Amino acid sequence: MTLDASAALEIDPLIDDPATRIIVCCGAGGVGKTTTAAALGVRAAERGRKVVVLTIDPARRLAQSMGIDSLDNTPRRVKGVEGEGELHAMMLDMKRTFDEIVEAHADAERARSILENPFYQSLSAGFAGTQEYMAMEKLGQLRARGEWDLIVVDTPPSRSALDFLDAPKRLGSFLDGKFIKVLVAPAKMGGRAGMKFLNVGMSMMTGTLGKLLGGQLLRDVQTFVAAMDTMFGGFRTRADATYRLLQAPGTAFLVVAAPERDALREAAYFVERLAAEEMPLAGLVLNRVHGSGAARLSAERALAAAENLDEGRIVDQRHGKAGVRDAAAASPESPPVAHTDAVDHTDAIDHTTEQLTSGLLRLHAERMQVLARERRTRDRFTALHPEVAVAQVPALPGDVHDLAGLRAIGDRLATGGPAPAGAS
């Protein structure tokens, strides 16, 4: 099955549907997830929705394209949006989100103890999966606030773009794991019994961990665990609730990819993983698709024409110069240098024109080879996943850096169903 025969992904009905409350853009790094999320937000807002775009991309391109000096953990209104809708944008602050959870679920004294704990500071700033978990926490917070009727999520730039699906489980398993429970037990038991348990039951383990991690770090971990004990269940509960939210009918996943082999291989994995997790997939957004207004001229014909020009120019030059020399020798009355200069000037123009034409033909041949390679790669994906609707976004000549650029991307998304390979 080719891309031309696959179903077209209809963006406008998706973002116009009031039942669509969350759109999650996922895909490999560098394929345009942030730009796609921002463009969807702009288009949905200008079609009447009240939208918030949550990005986890540290490059801050979203802020620049929306005319905001900086994004942070608080949604900010985007100016310049046309129509009756509203657009807000924010960038996940991983540590601040973790701090907000602590402050919301612990009394002031315990919250201060946790926030000042060195192990917590390390965990909240860089523990594996923390960013993905906090992205899901923030999504749950935004949905619970009910201020927006559409939330667009730009997923983290992780090694695997679906790490955010696993992160709540990983962090929840860590916080509910046997190691944590053993560390919590002495604090729960308290008094002499707790100290006896700590000294007898954990002496071997703490001695080993103390050598590996350092005694101070181990004490920081134990203090952190004791302070966080009452919150552990809440992490798992909220993680499960957000996971169910991602599976709900009001959520739509868009897999974003470039028409390249590695990116579409990742996209195929994402599609299969989403199906396994029972996550609702809306379709595939294929970014930066190349086209040509002269697709009827094949690469082979363009190269052949360029070679003919090169070969013909060599022959013509050789004969042309000989002709000029012969004419000058045979006719002493011929105009002297001036006529020869004019002929040479004309010859030089023809030579330059042929060079440019040959170069353009070779560039066109390279372009057509790129188109053919992209088409083969896309067709391979659609053959494996014919059920996935596809929207193509033609490559833009420059970077997107303002609302007008995002509108252009949105327009191309909305009209970007499968098109002939040569379409520009």
Side-chain angles (χ1 to χ4, degrees), residues 125-185:
F127 185 78
T130 302
Q131 185 183 53
E132 290 82 1
Y133 179 87
M134 291 307 150
M136 295 301 97
E137 277 277 356
K138 183 56 68 175
L139 171 59
Q141 291 175 11
L142 293 172
R143 186 68 178 86
R145 286 169 62 175
E147 295 183 25
W148 300 276
D149 55 31
L150 178 62
I151 302 169
V152 182
V153 183
D154 164 36
T155 54
S158 309
R159 179 186 57 80
S160 169
L162 290 183
D163 278 352
F164 70 93
L165 293 179
D166 296 323
K169 293 180 180 179
R170 288 203 309 270
L171 192 57
S173 297
F174 168 73
L175 295 175
D176 288 344
K178 293 180 180 179
F179 173 64
I180 293 295
K181 290 177 180 178
V182 169
L183 291 177
V184 170

Side-chain angles (χ1 to χ4, degrees), residues 66-89:
M66 293 186 173
I68 301 175
D69 292 337
S70 63
L71 291 179
D72 55 23
N73 221 36
T74 302
R76 298 183 181 277
R77 180 81 177 265
V78 177
K79 298 178 182 179
V81 173
E82 302 170 356
E84 299 180 358
E86 292 182 14
L87 178 62
H88 296 76

Side-chain angles (χ1 to χ4, degrees), residues 320-337 339-340:
K321 289 180 180 179
V324 170
R325 285 196 299 270
D326 292 344
S331 178
E333 298 179 358
S334 300
V337 180
H339 177 72
T340 305

